[in-house]
Amino acid sequence: MTQIELMQFLKVSNTGFWRLDRAGQLPPSFRVGSRRRWNRETVRKWMADQERQSSKQ
Protein backbone atom coordinates (compact mmCIF):
# COMPACT_ATOMS: atom_id res chain seq x y z
CA MET A 1 0.00 0.00 0.00
CA THR A 2 1.44 3.41 -0.92
CA GLN A 3 1.31 6.52 1.25
CA ILE A 4 -1.56 7.89 -0.83
CA GLU A 5 -3.50 4.63 -0.54
CA LEU A 6 -2.95 4.61 3.23
CA MET A 7 -4.10 8.23 3.48
CA GLN A 8 -7.26 7.36 1.55
CA PHE A 9 -7.85 4.26 3.68
CA LEU A 10 -7.45 6.26 6.92
CA LYS A 11 -9.31 9.25 5.44
CA VAL A 12 -6.65 11.73 6.50
CA SER A 13 -5.08 14.65 4.67
CA ASN A 14 -1.40 14.94 3.87
CA THR A 15 -0.96 17.14 6.95
CA GLY A 16 -2.87 14.65 9.10
CA PHE A 17 -0.74 11.83 7.78
CA TRP A 18 2.51 13.57 8.74
CA ARG A 19 1.16 14.48 12.19
CA LEU A 20 0.32 10.83 12.83
CA ASP A 21 3.72 9.79 11.47
CA ARG A 22 5.65 12.18 13.74
CA ALA A 23 3.60 10.99 16.72
CA GLY A 24 4.38 7.33 15.91
CA GLN A 25 0.69 6.57 15.43
CA LEU A 26 0.82 4.87 12.03
CA PRO A 27 0.96 1.14 11.36
CA PRO A 28 4.41 -0.35 10.75
CA SER A 29 5.87 0.24 7.29
CA PHE A 30 8.71 -1.19 5.24
CA ARG A 31 10.87 0.28 2.49
CA VAL A 32 11.05 -0.62 -1.17
CA GLY A 33 14.05 1.34 -2.32
CA SER A 34 13.49 4.82 -0.94
CA ARG A 35 9.69 4.47 -0.76
CA ARG A 36 7.66 3.47 2.28
CA ARG A 37 4.99 0.83 1.86
CA TRP A 38 2.41 -0.73 4.16
CA ASN A 39 1.15 -4.29 4.06
CA ARG A 40 -2.65 -4.24 3.64
CA GLU A 41 -3.21 -7.08 6.12
CA THR A 42 -0.98 -5.38 8.70
CA VAL A 43 -2.95 -2.14 8.25
CA ARG A 44 -6.26 -3.98 8.70
CA LYS A 45 -5.01 -5.68 11.89
CA TRP A 46 -3.65 -2.36 13.17
CA MET A 47 -7.02 -0.72 12.48
CA ALA A 48 -8.88 -3.50 14.33
CA ASP A 49 -6.53 -3.06 17.31
CA GLN A 50 -7.20 0.69 17.30
CA GLU A 51 -10.95 0.03 17.33
CA ARG A 52 -10.64 -2.44 20.23
CA GLN A 53 -8.54 0.02 22.27
CA SER A 54 -11.02 2.79 21.53
CA SER A 55 -13.98 0.71 22.68
CA LYS A 56 -12.27 -0.14 26.00
CA GLN A 57 -12.02 3.51 27.02
Side-chain angles (χ1 to χ4, degrees), residues 13-28:
S13 66
N14 193 46
T15 302
F17 173 86
W18 289 110
R19 283 183 185 155
L20 291 171
D21 189 44
R22 279 192 301 272
Q25 297 178 332
L26 289 176

Side-chain angles (χ1 to χ4, degrees), residues 22-33:
R22 279 192 301 272
Q25 297 178 332
L26 289 176
S29 64
F30 60 95
R31 291 207 174 263
V32 176

Side-chain angles (χ1 to χ4, degrees), residues 4-20:
I4 292 174
E5 291 171 329
L6 181 61
M7 288 168 46
Q8 291 170 340
F9 181 80
L10 297 176
K11 297 183 175 139
V12 297
S13 66
N14 193 46
T15 302
F17 173 86
W18 289 110
R19 283 183 185 155
L20 291 171

Side-chain angles (χ1 to χ4, degrees), residues 27-41:
S29 64
F30 60 95
R31 291 207 174 263
V32 176
S34 63
R35 307 279 185 185
R36 286 173 71 187
R37 296 289 187 256
W38 289 263
N39 178 283
R40 288 182 195 284
E41 188 57 33

